[in-house]
Amino acid sequence: MTFNDRTTPLSLLQTRRSGKPRDLVAPGPSPQQLDQMVAIAARTPDHGKLAPWRFVIVPDEARPTLALKLVEILRAEKPDATARDEEAAAQFATQAPALVVVLSAPVQPHKVPRWEQELSAGAACMNLLHAAHAMGFAGGWLTGWPAYSDAVRDLFGSEGQRIAGFVFIGTPGRPLEERPRGELSQIVHRWNP
């Protein structure tokens, strides 16, 4: 099977497969391509036209600093962290050629429920992956402990916002593999009143 087959929009959706960020290598997208991907991601459904998400592109030259900050935050939040945990935190920040941090930034108070705004942020992450794949790259959407740390969030956003995901983008360094998927009979039901 060919993954991320770009011959038609439907074939891309039918064959879409994320890449493991640790397996994504150069070349990555140019700054202009990243801007284009983010512009596409911002075309997500958005009830109320609130733009309840933010995109933070972490430039290449800032990735080592991010690695140091993640290790520093890990030490403060998890005093029992091992050297291996610290190495994993540093590696998290520097894997794949490109990194976009997507923040859920709900507008509150507002008549559009917070939940709908958070769903829109998730859809923005997915649109970012679709844009990366459509442009010939592969992407991977990760969370992990950094997504749930207020101190890490504060590196990119502010109180009231949450990290929806770290989207890593690059070229697959190894063939993409299919992962097990649920049987449609287990996840799709037809409503019959």
Side-chain angles (χ1 to χ4, degrees), residues 50-72:
L50 301 175
W53 13 256
R54 298 294 178 269
F55 303 94
V56 180
I57 296 171
V58 182
D60 235 12
E61 61 275 9
R63 304 279 292 280
T65 301
L66 175 58
L68 292 173
K69 294 207 174 281
L70 286 184
V71 170
E72 178 183 300

Short mmCIF file of all heavy atoms in Angstrom, two decimals, residues 50-72:
data_model
loop_
_atom_site.label_atom_id
_atom_site.label_comp_id
_atom_site.label_asym_id
_atom_site.label_seq_id
_atom_site.Cartn_x
_atom_site.Cartn_y
_atom_site.Cartn_z
N LEU A 50 -14.31 32.38 15.71
CA LEU A 50 -13.54 32.82 16.88
C LEU A 50 -12.05 32.59 16.76
O LEU A 50 -11.28 33.16 17.53
CB LEU A 50 -14.07 32.10 18.13
CG LEU A 50 -15.54 32.30 18.44
CD1 LEU A 50 -15.96 31.43 19.62
CD2 LEU A 50 -15.84 33.76 18.72
N ALA A 51 -11.63 31.73 15.84
CA ALA A 51 -10.22 31.33 15.74
C ALA A 51 -9.70 30.92 17.12
O ALA A 51 -8.75 31.51 17.64
CB ALA A 51 -9.37 32.43 15.12
N PRO A 52 -10.31 29.86 17.72
CA PRO A 52 -9.94 29.48 19.08
C PRO A 52 -8.70 28.59 19.15
O PRO A 52 -8.65 27.61 19.88
CB PRO A 52 -11.19 28.74 19.57
CG PRO A 52 -11.70 28.07 18.33
CD PRO A 52 -11.41 29.05 17.21
N TRP A 53 -7.70 28.91 18.37
CA TRP A 53 -6.46 28.16 18.33
C TRP A 53 -5.35 29.12 17.94
O TRP A 53 -5.59 30.17 17.37
CB TRP A 53 -6.49 27.00 17.32
CG TRP A 53 -7.63 27.02 16.36
CD1 TRP A 53 -8.74 26.21 16.40
CD2 TRP A 53 -7.82 27.87 15.22
NE1 TRP A 53 -9.59 26.52 15.36
CE2 TRP A 53 -9.05 27.53 14.61
CE3 TRP A 53 -7.08 28.89 14.65
CZ2 TRP A 53 -9.55 28.17 13.48
CZ3 TRP A 53 -7.57 29.53 13.52
CH2 TRP A 53 -8.80 29.15 12.95
N ARG A 54 -4.15 28.73 18.28
CA ARG A 54 -2.96 29.48 17.91
C ARG A 54 -1.92 28.48 17.44
O ARG A 54 -1.87 27.34 17.92
CB ARG A 54 -2.39 30.27 19.09
CG ARG A 54 -3.33 31.32 19.67
CD ARG A 54 -3.61 32.46 18.68
NE ARG A 54 -4.54 33.42 19.21
CZ ARG A 54 -5.87 33.36 19.05
NH1 ARG A 54 -6.41 32.37 18.39
NH2 ARG A 54 -6.63 34.30 19.55
N PHE A 55 -1.08 28.91 16.51
CA PHE A 55 -0.01 28.08 15.97
C PHE A 55 1.32 28.75 16.32
O PHE A 55 1.50 29.93 16.04
CB PHE A 55 -0.13 27.97 14.45
CG PHE A 55 -1.45 27.42 13.99
CD1 PHE A 55 -2.49 28.27 13.66
CD2 PHE A 55 -1.66 26.05 13.90
CE1 PHE A 55 -3.71 27.77 13.23
CE2 PHE A 55 -2.89 25.54 13.49
CZ PHE A 55 -3.92 26.39 13.16
N VAL A 56 2.21 28.00 16.91
CA VAL A 56 3.53 28.52 17.25
C VAL A 56 4.56 27.68 16.49
O VAL A 56 4.73 26.49 16.77
CB VAL A 56 3.82 28.46 18.77
CG1 VAL A 56 5.20 29.03 19.07
CG2 VAL A 56 2.73 29.20 19.55
N ILE A 57 5.18 28.30 15.51
CA ILE A 57 6.23 27.61 14.74
C ILE A 57 7.53 27.77 15.53
O ILE A 57 7.94 28.90 15.86
CB ILE A 57 6.36 28.21 13.33
CG1 ILE A 57 5.05 27.99 12.54
CG2 ILE A 57 7.57 27.61 12.59
CD1 ILE A 57 4.97 28.72 11.22
N VAL A 58 8.15 26.65 15.85
CA VAL A 58 9.42 26.68 16.60
C VAL A 58 10.54 26.57 15.57
O VAL A 58 10.76 25.51 14.99
CB VAL A 58 9.49 25.53 17.62
CG1 VAL A 58 10.80 25.63 18.41
CG2 VAL A 58 8.28 25.56 18.56
N PRO A 59 11.26 27.66 15.31
CA PRO A 59 12.31 27.63 14.29
C PRO A 59 13.45 26.69 14.67
O PRO A 59 13.69 26.42 15.85
CB PRO A 59 12.80 29.07 14.21
CG PRO A 59 12.01 29.86 15.16
CD PRO A 59 11.13 28.95 15.95
N ASP A 60 14.12 26.22 13.66
CA ASP A 60 15.25 25.28 13.84
C ASP A 60 16.24 25.76 14.89
O ASP A 60 16.65 24.99 15.76
CB ASP A 60 15.97 25.14 12.50
CG ASP A 60 16.08 23.70 12.07
OD1 ASP A 60 15.42 22.83 12.67
OD2 ASP A 60 16.86 23.44 11.14
N GLU A 61 16.60 27.03 14.79
CA GLU A 61 17.64 27.54 15.69
C GLU A 61 17.17 27.63 17.15
O GLU A 61 17.98 27.74 18.06
CB GLU A 61 18.17 28.91 15.22
CG GLU A 61 17.14 30.01 15.16
CD GLU A 61 16.32 30.07 13.86
OE1 GLU A 61 16.42 29.15 13.02
OE2 GLU A 61 15.57 31.05 13.71
N ALA A 62 15.85 27.55 17.39
CA ALA A 62 15.32 27.61 18.75
C ALA A 62 15.10 26.23 19.36
O ALA A 62 14.84 26.13 20.57
CB ALA A 62 14.00 28.39 18.75
N ARG A 63 15.23 25.19 18.57
CA ARG A 63 14.94 23.85 19.08
C ARG A 63 15.89 23.41 20.21
O ARG A 63 15.44 22.83 21.19
CB ARG A 63 14.95 22.83 17.94
CG ARG A 63 14.00 23.15 16.76
CD ARG A 63 12.56 22.78 16.96
NE ARG A 63 12.29 21.38 17.00
CZ ARG A 63 12.17 20.57 15.95
NH1 ARG A 63 12.34 21.03 14.73
NH2 ARG A 63 11.89 19.31 16.13
N PRO A 64 17.20 23.68 20.12
CA PRO A 64 18.07 23.31 21.25
C PRO A 64 17.69 24.03 22.55
O PRO A 64 17.75 23.45 23.63
CB PRO A 64 19.48 23.71 20.79
CG PRO A 64 19.39 23.68 19.29
CD PRO A 64 17.99 24.16 18.97
N THR A 65 17.27 25.29 22.45
CA THR A 65 16.83 26.03 23.64
C THR A 65 15.56 25.40 24.20
O THR A 65 15.41 25.27 25.42
CB THR A 65 16.60 27.52 23.30
OG1 THR A 65 17.82 28.06 22.81
CG2 THR A 65 16.12 28.30 24.51
N LEU A 66 14.65 25.00 23.32
CA LEU A 66 13.44 24.32 23.77
C LEU A 66 13.81 23.03 24.50
O LEU A 66 13.23 22.72 25.54
CB LEU A 66 12.50 24.03 22.59
CG LEU A 66 11.25 23.22 22.93
CD1 LEU A 66 10.41 23.90 24.01
CD2 LEU A 66 10.42 22.98 21.66
N ALA A 67 14.76 22.29 23.98
CA ALA A 67 15.20 21.05 24.63
C ALA A 67 15.68 21.33 26.04
O ALA A 67 15.31 20.63 26.99
CB ALA A 67 16.29 20.38 23.80
N LEU A 68 16.50 22.37 26.21
CA LEU A 68 17.01 22.72 27.54
C LEU A 68 15.87 23.11 28.48
O LEU A 68 15.84 22.70 29.65
CB LEU A 68 18.01 23.87 27.44
CG LEU A 68 19.34 23.56 26.74
CD1 LEU A 68 20.16 24.83 26.56
CD2 LEU A 68 20.12 22.51 27.52
N LYS A 69 14.91 23.88 27.97
CA LYS A 69 13.78 24.30 28.80
C LYS A 69 12.90 23.12 29.20
O LYS A 69 12.42 23.05 30.33
CB LYS A 69 12.98 25.38 28.09
CG LYS A 69 13.76 26.67 27.92
CD LYS A 69 12.86 27.86 27.83
CE LYS A 69 13.65 29.14 27.80
NZ LYS A 69 14.12 29.59 29.10
N LEU A 70 12.70 22.17 28.28
CA LEU A 70 11.89 21.00 28.63
C LEU A 70 12.57 20.19 29.73
O LEU A 70 11.91 19.71 30.66
CB LEU A 70 11.64 20.12 27.41
CG LEU A 70 10.64 20.63 26.38
CD1 LEU A 70 10.43 19.61 25.28
CD2 LEU A 70 9.31 21.01 27.01
N VAL A 71 13.87 20.03 29.64
CA VAL A 71 14.61 19.30 30.68
C VAL A 71 14.50 20.05 32.01
O VAL A 71 14.25 19.44 33.06
CB VAL A 71 16.08 19.07 30.27
CG1 VAL A 71 16.89 18.54 31.44
CG2 VAL A 71 16.15 18.12 29.08
N GLU A 72 14.65 21.35 31.97
CA GLU A 72 14.54 22.17 33.19
C GLU A 72 13.16 22.02 33.83
O GLU A 72 13.03 21.84 35.04
CB GLU A 72 14.82 23.62 32.80
CG GLU A 72 14.72 24.64 33.90
CD GLU A 72 14.95 26.04 33.35
OE1 GLU A 72 16.03 26.29 32.79
OE2 GLU A 72 14.02 26.87 33.46
#
